[in-house]
Amino acid sequence: METAAPAKPLRLEDFLPPPPEEEDEPAPAPQEDYKVTRAREMKALRDAIPADADVEAMVRAGAGKDRMIDDKTLAAFGVWMDRDPLAAMRWHHEWENGASTSHFGFELRRHFEEGGGLARMNEYLAALPEARWSVLGPIKEIARERGNDFLIDLARKLESKGDQRSMLFGAFKSTAGLAPRLGEIREMLGVGNYGMVLGQIAGLDGSLELLEAVRQAGFPEEDVSSFEQAARKKAAESMSVSDYVRSSDGTGGDDRERWLQKSLPAFGEWEEDFGDGRISGDEVISRIVASAPDAAGMDADLREFIFPNLAASNPAKAIMWLQGHGGDWQQAVAKVTGNGLPDLSAEEAVDITAGLSDADQESSGMAKITADQFGNWFA
């Protein structure tokens, strides 16, 4: 006969109802875009202004001498723009005194975007020769946000060459779509006005890719050359350590120093440590490779690249370090000695040249440096 299994002891939980199933928390409501919120708030304020209200008086009263305005004054200005845009912009120009359009910029932009102002821009410019920036300022902001094609198309619709140039100066935020339209830009700018716009474009990411298009657009060679120089400088800012070192000519300069500060921010400390004798040049290279692994295996290139900086910190130590590694050290030294080494003493110059052949002394520039140092002794 089978023995019955022992009864399972009762628990309090056996008499309780099952817990309710957990419900997922509702996802937070998406945040409304600030511009949408702002537009809705300003519309409500404009709509609240009575149809017979003297909005000019409201604006003049609200725009105090402290140059601060509240939203009700801004809304009144918006209604004034809708009713009499010429009078509103004329007053705006006088009140801003040419400083900026920031105080009333929201309603100026709204008028041009939604109130038909873009279609009337030439009419406004003709009627307000003294207040051109109250027109050009907001339409330029609108055009910059809508992209280069819109901006160039809008500039072409302006009747005045001067207004076209004003629209193009400092207007571009990217190089997107510019290549096929550079000829139109050149035509609108007119002779003698190319440099400022080309310089601004050259400062944009990817500008170097436009070089051939700039040349084909018919810009003068001197402007093309300036553009190329500035575009290459911009491209260098984002180069990897290995690419920048390979493209370097082995000399110093402000652009190089800016790149070093951005790409190897600790380099200045390493340079000081080398100059004070705390680390060797080889240790500087090891630290560069540790910070930028893409530069691994480039020791010879890196030695020539960092030599101008190390020579500025401790010329004697830097020259002997570079010489000790062999290779074409004479050429690298010559690029630095050509500008003189004011911190190199005559004794140090003698120590460096003592073991050099006459040919090495001449090719490295050390013969002249040594002669100059002794000349200073007897001067």
Side-chain angles (χ1 to χ4, degrees):
M1 182 176 180
E2 295 183 1
T3 305
K8 184 179 179 181
L10 297 177
R11 299 174 302 168
L12 177 61
E13 291 85 346
D14 295 331
F15 297 92
L16 296 176
E21 293 185 6
E22 292 186 6
E23 296 182 3
D24 294 335
E25 293 186 8
Q31 292 288 329
E32 185 176 55
D33 183 87
Y34 170 76
K35 291 182 179 180
V36 175
T37 303
R38 182 68 170 155
R40 187 179 65 252
E41 292 171 349
M42 290 307 303
K43 182 179 186 305
L45 289 173
R46 290 193 305 273
D47 291 346
I49 296 175
D52 59 350
D54 187 344
V55 287
E56 178 179 352
M58 291 172 64
V59 171
R60 290 181 180 276
K65 294 182 180 180
D66 59 0
R67 316 294 289 176
M68 300 296 291
I69 62 169
D70 58 22
D71 283 352
K72 290 184 178 179
T73 302
L74 179 59
F77 179 78
V79 175
W80 191 9
M81 281 290 298
D82 293 339
R83 295 179 184 176
D84 191 349
L86 293 178
M89 283 188 284
R90 187 175 289 111
W91 172 87
H92 168 261
H93 168 75
E94 295 171 355
W95 187 81
E96 291 281 6
N97 195 25
S100 70
T101 60
S102 59
H103 295 88
F104 292 95
F106 182 90
E107 288 298 335
L108 282 167
R109 285 192 52 163
R110 182 192 64 81
H111 175 77
F112 283 96
E113 284 187 293
E114 303 172 9
L118 286 178
R120 301 179 62 188
M121 60 185 182
N122 284 306
E123 172 193 339
Y124 292 165
L125 288 166
L128 301 168
E130 77 288 357
R132 310 188 80 74
W133 198 244
S134 291
V135 179
L136 290 175
I139 67 175
K140 188 171 183 175
E141 289 181 16
I142 294 167
R144 292 188 76 210
E145 290 188 2
R146 295 194 184 182
N148 292 337
D149 281 333
F150 182 89
L151 189 154
I152 295 168
D153 289 342
L154 194 64
R156 288 186 68 84
K157 293 177 182 177
L158 292 167
E159 295 173 355
S160 161
K161 282 289 186 183
D163 291 336
Q164 289 180 346
R165 287 193 292 270
S166 295
M167 272 288 288
L168 295 174
F169 286 161
F172 302 105
K173 297 171 69 175
S174 77
T175 60
L178 283 183
R181 309 206 65 175
L182 287 167
E184 296 173 74
I185 292 173
R186 179 187 57 77
E187 178 188 344
M188 285 188 281
L189 289 174
V191 177
N193 298 298
Y194 308 134
M196 186 178 295
V197 172
L198 285 180
Q200 190 254 324
I201 295 173
L204 299 172
D205 289 338
S207 59
L208 190 56
E209 298 174 10
L210 293 177
L211 177 58
E212 187 56 33
V214 170
R215 186 174 283 112
Q216 293 297 324
F219 288 100
E221 188 54 41
E222 61 187 70
D223 291 300
V224 175
S225 178
S226 296
F227 174 87
E228 179 177 6
Q229 183 177 1
R232 291 193 183 281
K233 184 185 301 184
K234 177 63 178 177
E237 292 178 2
S238 56
M239 275 186 180
S240 66
V241 171
S242 58
D243 287 343
Y244 192 88
V245 170
R246 289 191 186 98
S247 67
S248 173
D249 62 1
T251 59
D254 292 340
D255 296 333
R256 167 199 173 95
E257 293 306 312
R258 280 192 291 270
W259 179 88
L260 279 169
Q261 291 170 10
K262 177 183 177 182
S263 302
L264 294 169
F267 185 82
E269 298 176 14
W270 306 337
E271 185 180 336
E272 289 182 12
D273 288 344
F274 174 88
D276 294 339
R278 290 188 290 273
I279 63 174
S280 67
D282 289 343
E283 176 60 23
V284 175
I285 289 179
S286 295
R287 294 183 181 186
I288 291 174
V289 173
S291 298
D294 64 291
M298 297 180 59
D299 288 13
D301 292 326
L302 287 170
R303 280 194 293 272
E304 184 172 345
F305 177 74
I306 67 174
F307 175 70
N309 295 78
L310 301 190
S313 296
N314 191 325
K317 181 182 176 184
I319 292 172
M320 288 189 284
W321 166 72
L322 191 65
Q323 180 191 358
H325 280 283
D328 192 12
W329 63 271
Q330 300 93 334
Q331 182 180 0
V333 172
K335 290 178 181 178
V336 174
T337 56
N339 296 321
L341 289 172
D343 294 331
L344 185 70
S345 69
E347 294 91 339
E348 290 173 327
V350 170
D351 288 341
I352 294 169
T353 57
L356 299 180
S357 66
D358 291 345
D360 283 347
Q361 290 185 41
E362 289 295 332
S363 61
S364 66
M366 285 306 303
K368 183 178 185 304
I369 290 292
T370 304
D372 289 346
Q373 294 295 356
F374 276 101
N376 292 335
W377 260 11
F378 298 107

